[in-house]
């Protein structure tokens, strides 16, 4: 199923070992979706004693979790001054520390589980493409300093020393807490960890309905199989809109498409000119990093009419998907303008991914309004790798105990949008 997949990450990563046992008739919680959110929630739920079945319609991490550029970021992609402007000082600080806790817990999980996923927690760099963006980064740095958050503000000269291969940037903000990863290898490693604590991870299980029944929910698969569960967790990004018959997720989630390009392995001298950091510019709309000597870059959806909003086609699993040709051309121009050493280098790998957004750019984590036993863990606005592991723990706690220990979880409650 993965041989012809357009995503480099999916093609590189080892598949999960097959599990051909019959689908159980019943479980405590059915988690729908095998991305970072679903695998994290299933793992934490099982650790809290729940009998969990995770249902993935293709293979684990085949869609959004395996179609990004593999950056684990702090914040919402937005610079910290804008987060403070949106949420207020206290909630911005709470959100930032929650995401940092996510990274710490995730790194510990990967280390304890021996999950080989090319994790490099060497930090990140937000580059300013304009003087205006540098002013905002300076404002962000002042707020980070006041809140005791580790960072470095780099002027143009210092940036040139740290990243001499780049040109056309006015400065940067360095964030030590960010990381890069092979996302599919990471998510599949979490799925294997979930199996060790009793989760049934079932691939090739396309859910077509999840309806309330007398004793919970009846979950029906396209191939005719079904199971009953006391609770369900919608963790399928924009696909959750189709399965939530209350209409809430359809009303609150909107799809948008991101586009990624990657080179083949570059000469060592050129690849080594880039530090192993998560990097972005233009308020995180463009993003890039190096993976196994390949240069990987994404973004530019803003450069076409409609900004790729409302698109649900990410190319499926059959063959190469170049996405929008204008976006591709603009990404190549971005590379040539800012990294002239890469001008003319071929980018033979291209793929797209569909993400789910919310009106306030915060994820949904918690009970669906007015529904007993139905929960959502989705709507990460393109930052699922940065949120979902800790959010999965919060969701598990809400399902099992009725409350989450992370104080920032209250910011993600679906009822806030009612």
């Amino acid at each position: 199923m993965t041989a012809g997949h357009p995503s480099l990450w999916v093609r590189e990563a080892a598949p999960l070992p097959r599990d051909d046992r019959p689908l159980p008739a019943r479980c405590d919680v059915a988690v729908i979706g095998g991305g970072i959110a679903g695998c994290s929630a299933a793992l934490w739920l099982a650790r809290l004693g729940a009998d969990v079945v995770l249902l993935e319609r293709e293979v684990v991490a085949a869609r959004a979790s395996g179609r990004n550029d593999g950056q684990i970021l702090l914040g919402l992609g937005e610079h910290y001054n804008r987060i403070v402007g949106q949420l207020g000082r206290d909630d911005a600080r709470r959100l930032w520390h929650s995401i940092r806790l996510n990274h710490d817990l995730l790194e510990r999980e990967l280390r304890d589980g021996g999950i080989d996923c090319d994790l490099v927690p060497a930090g990140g760099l937000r580059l300013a493409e304009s003087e205006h963006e540098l002013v905002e980064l300076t404002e962000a740095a002042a707020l980070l300093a006041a809140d005791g958050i580790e960072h470095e503000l780099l002027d143009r000269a210092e940036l040139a020393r740290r990243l001499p291969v780049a040109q056309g940037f006015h400065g940067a903000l360095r964030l030590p807490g960010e990381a890069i990863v092979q996302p599919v290898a990471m998510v599949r490693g979490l799925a294997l960890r979930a199996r060790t604590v009793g989760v049934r991870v079932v691939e090739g299980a396309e859910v077509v309905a999840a309806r309330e029944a007398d004793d919970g929910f009846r979950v029906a698969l396209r191939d005719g199989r079904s199971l009953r569960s006391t609770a369900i967790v919608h963790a399928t990004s924009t696909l959750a809109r189709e399965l939530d018959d209350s209409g809430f997720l359809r009303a609150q989630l909107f799809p948008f498409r991101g586009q990624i390009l990657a080179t083949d392995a570059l000469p060592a001298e050129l690849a080594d000119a880039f530090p192993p950091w998560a990097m972005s510019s233009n308020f995180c709309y463009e993003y890039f990093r190096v993976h196994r000597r390949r240069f990987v870059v994404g973004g530019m959806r803003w450069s076409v009419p409609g900004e790729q909003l409302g698109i649900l086609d990410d190319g499926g699993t059959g063959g190469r998907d170049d996405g929008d040709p204008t976006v591709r051309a603009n990404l190549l121009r971005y590379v040539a303008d800012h990294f002239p050493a890469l001008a003319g280098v071929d980018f033979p790998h291209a793929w797209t991914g569909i993400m789910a957004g919310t009106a306030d750019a915060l994820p949904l984590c918690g009970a669906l309004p007015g529904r007993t036993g139905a929960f959502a863990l989705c709507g990460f606005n393109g930052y699922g790798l940065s949120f979902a592991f800790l959010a999965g723990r919060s969701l598990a706690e809400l399902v099992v105990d009725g409350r989450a220990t992370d104080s920032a979880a209250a910011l993600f409650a679906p009822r806030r949008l009612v």
Side-chain angles (χ1 to χ4, degrees):
M1 188 177 290
T2 64
H5 201 288
S7 165
L8 174 67
W9 314 125
V10 175
R11 288 185 280 114
E12 275 187 347
L16 288 186
R18 289 178 59 90
D19 184 350
D20 293 325
R21 292 175 293 168
L23 193 69
R26 182 163 193 91
C27 64
D28 294 333
V29 186
V31 177
I32 307 170
I36 177 68
C39 290
S40 298
L43 175 61
W44 290 111
L45 280 161
R47 285 177 172 165
L48 291 177
D51 175 29
V52 183
V53 175
L54 185 151
L55 302 167
E56 163 54 44
R57 79 173 191 173
E58 297 179 25
V59 293
V60 164
R63 296 183 69 87
S65 291
R67 292 172 174 268
N68 51 69
D69 76 324
Q71 296 193 24
I72 301 176
L73 303 178
L74 292 164
L76 303 172
E78 293 280 16
H79 301 325
Y80 191 58
N81 59 312
R82 293 194 173 194
I83 300 174
V84 170
Q86 175 186 340
L87 300 179
R89 193 66 170 274
D90 290 343
D91 281 346
R93 186 188 303 114
R94 185 163 46 141
L95 176 67
W96 192 278
H97 286 297
S98 174
I99 297 173
R100 186 56 207 257
L101 175 59
N102 176 86
H103 297 7
D104 292 343
L105 287 175
L106 180 56
E107 184 177 347
R108 186 184 314 151
E109 189 74 38
L110 299 176
R111 183 178 63 249
D112 291 349
I115 298 173
D116 183 7
C117 56
D118 295 304
L119 175 71
V120 184
L125 198 66
R126 309 285 179 92
L127 296 108
E129 283 199 36
S130 64
E131 289 289 353
H132 170 72
E133 187 170 10
L134 182 59
V135 168
E136 292 215 25
L137 286 177
T138 303
E139 294 173 356
L143 289 165
L144 291 168
D147 286 344
I149 298 170
E150 188 178 5
H151 70 284
E152 288 181 272
L153 185 65
L154 312 181
D155 61 19
R156 190 194 299 261
E158 182 60 19
L159 175 60
R161 190 183 73 80
R162 303 275 189 103
L163 192 64
V165 73
Q167 70 175 26
F169 298 112
H170 295 257
L173 184 67
R174 173 105 167 89
L175 296 170
E178 298 187 330
I180 54 176
V181 70
Q182 210 287 20
V184 174
M186 182 183 77
V187 175
R188 291 182 181 172
L190 295 176
L192 288 174
R193 291 282 278 175
R195 277 183 171 174
T196 66
V197 291
V199 176
R200 282 293 309 279
V201 179
V202 186
E203 296 182 314
E206 182 179 357
V207 176
V208 294
R211 296 193 173 92
E212 288 188 77
D214 292 340
D215 53 352
F217 293 85
R218 183 180 181 273
V219 180
L221 307 187
R222 184 168 299 282
D223 60 16
R225 292 178 293 171
S226 67
L227 79 159
R228 292 181 177 271
S229 65
T230 304
I232 57 172
V233 176
H234 292 285
T236 56
S237 190
T238 53
L239 298 178
R241 304 184 319 154
E242 309 301 321
L243 296 175
D244 168 33
D245 57 11
S246 77
F248 177 82
L249 294 179
R250 177 172 290 279
Q252 303 303 336
L253 295 175
F254 61 87
F256 62 98
R257 187 170 74 176
Q259 193 158 321
I260 311 288
L261 307 178
T263 68
D264 282 328
L266 300 170
E269 183 178 0
L270 179 54
D272 292 345
F274 293 90
W277 298 340
M279 292 177 278
S280 63
S281 70
N282 187 27
F283 299 90
C284 298
Y285 272 102
E286 280 66 68
Y287 38 90
F288 56 94
R289 45 78 66 98
V290 171
H291 167 74
R292 297 183 184 177
R293 290 174 43 197
R294 301 176 190 266
F295 186 83
V296 183
V297 62
M300 282 289 168
R301 66 180 183 85
W302 60 269
S303 68
V304 294
E307 299 188 17
Q308 303 284 277
L309 294 172
I311 296 177
L312 287 167
D313 177 20
D314 62 5
T317 58
R320 174 171 163 170
D321 174 29
D322 283 333
D324 187 290
T326 303
V327 171
R328 179 184 176 87
N330 289 337
L331 280 171
L332 294 176
R333 186 175 301 111
Y334 171 87
V335 172
D337 288 346
H338 289 296
F339 309 104
L342 294 174
V345 172
D346 189 25
F347 282 77
H349 308 282
W351 63 92
T352 60
I354 307 303
M355 297 162 277
T358 60
D360 61 4
L362 294 175
L364 303 177
C365 176
L368 293 181
R371 300 295 301 275
T372 300
F375 297 82
L377 186 63
C378 51
F380 289 98
N381 296 273
Y383 296 96
L385 298 188
S386 304
F387 277 96
F389 190 66
L390 176 57
R393 188 185 77 174
S394 294
L395 190 283
E397 292 170 338
L398 289 166
V399 172
V400 175
D401 300 325
R403 62 179 299 275
T405 53
D406 175 28
S407 63
L411 299 172
F412 312 147
R415 64 177 178 273
R416 75 183 188 276
L417 298 176
V418 175

